[in-house]
Amino acid sequence: MNETRDRILDVALDLLGENPDAGMGDIASAAGVVRRTVYGHFPSRLDLVRTLTERAVAEMAAVLTEVNASDAGADAAWAEFIARLWPVAHRYRVLLALRRGEYGEAIHGLLGPVDELLADLVKRGQDSDVFAQHLPAGILSQVAYGVVFSIADSDLSKGTPGARAATITSLLMLGVPEARATGLVGDRP
């Protein structure tokens, strides 16, 4: 039962990543099940999107909580977070597109724990004069975080910027000088 449900979620994530407008029938076909099976696990497309969002939030929050627990400076913690988040952000980039549509309110609501953790990290950086203070921590964190997903959304394995560019760009958005941002990323690909 859980194996089928997990397969549906994995297929849905891939399929929606290619086509955010894919329907439940498309997902069922790609998963090798009938629509009734998909609807048995997810009564609506919104339920499916919510479940995908919950998975993403759990993965992102785990990474951010672990990085926040380190003694590293806020800028180094941010760089580590983005480097470790990149595979997750890239995998769940479809949520950015879905967040702009009819599922925006549901996705936004579920991302609350991640938003709070990010705002705490940015506030820590602002308090130690590592991050800019021209915006409140909650807004600044969303601007910098949004850049990561925007780059992930455009990174379709065709030579476009990747994790390195996302990390440096997000640090620049936080007000970290370019030389420091580049140094924090180092030789990471």
Side-chain angles (χ1 to χ4, degrees):
M1 185 77 122
N2 283 338
E3 185 178 311
T4 300
R5 182 179 187 275
D6 289 343
R7 185 172 75 248
I8 292 168
L9 286 169
D10 292 340
V11 166
L13 188 58
D14 290 342
L15 192 58
L16 291 170
E18 294 170 17
N19 176 13
D21 296 324
M24 297 292 265
D26 300 322
I27 293 166
S29 293
V33 298
V34 296
R35 285 175 61 136
R36 183 176 178 165
T37 302
V38 173
Y39 281 110
H41 291 283
F42 308 101
S44 70
R45 193 167 187 264
L46 178 58
D47 291 318
L48 178 71
V49 169
R50 275 191 190 128
T51 303
L52 288 173
T53 304
E54 289 166 354
R55 282 173 83 185
V57 166
E59 289 182 46
M60 290 185 282
V63 170
L64 188 51
T65 299
E66 189 175 314
V67 168
N68 259 343
S70 76
D71 291 333
D75 55 353
W78 183 276
E80 181 65 20
F81 169 62
I82 300 304
R84 292 182 51 198
L85 174 78
W86 182 255
V88 177
H90 198 266
R91 188 168 54 252
Y92 290 102
R93 68 188 182 280
V94 68
L95 295 176
L96 185 66
L98 295 173
R99 189 176 186 176
R100 290 184 221 126
E102 65 184 291
Y103 304 112
E105 191 174 320
I107 292 171
H108 182 70
L110 291 169
L111 286 171
V114 172
D115 293 344
E116 288 177 29
L117 289 167
L118 286 170
D120 289 346
L121 177 56
V122 170
K123 180 68 174 138
R124 187 174 100 198
Q126 288 176 324
D127 290 346
S128 61
D129 292 324
V130 174
F131 294 153
Q133 298 184 24
H134 64 286
L135 290 171
I139 296 172
L140 187 58
S141 66
Q142 290 303 303
V143 169
Y145 183 59
V147 164
V148 173
F149 275 91
S150 293
I151 292 173
D153 191 36
S154 70
D155 184 80
L156 301 175
S157 302
K158 294 185 173 55
T160 55
R164 180 178 171 76
T167 306
I168 292 170
T169 304
S170 64
L171 285 165
L172 293 172
M173 298 301 293
L174 290 166
V176 175
E178 185 175 0
R180 173 74 176 152
T182 303
L184 285 167
V185 174
D187 293 335
R188 290 182 190 170

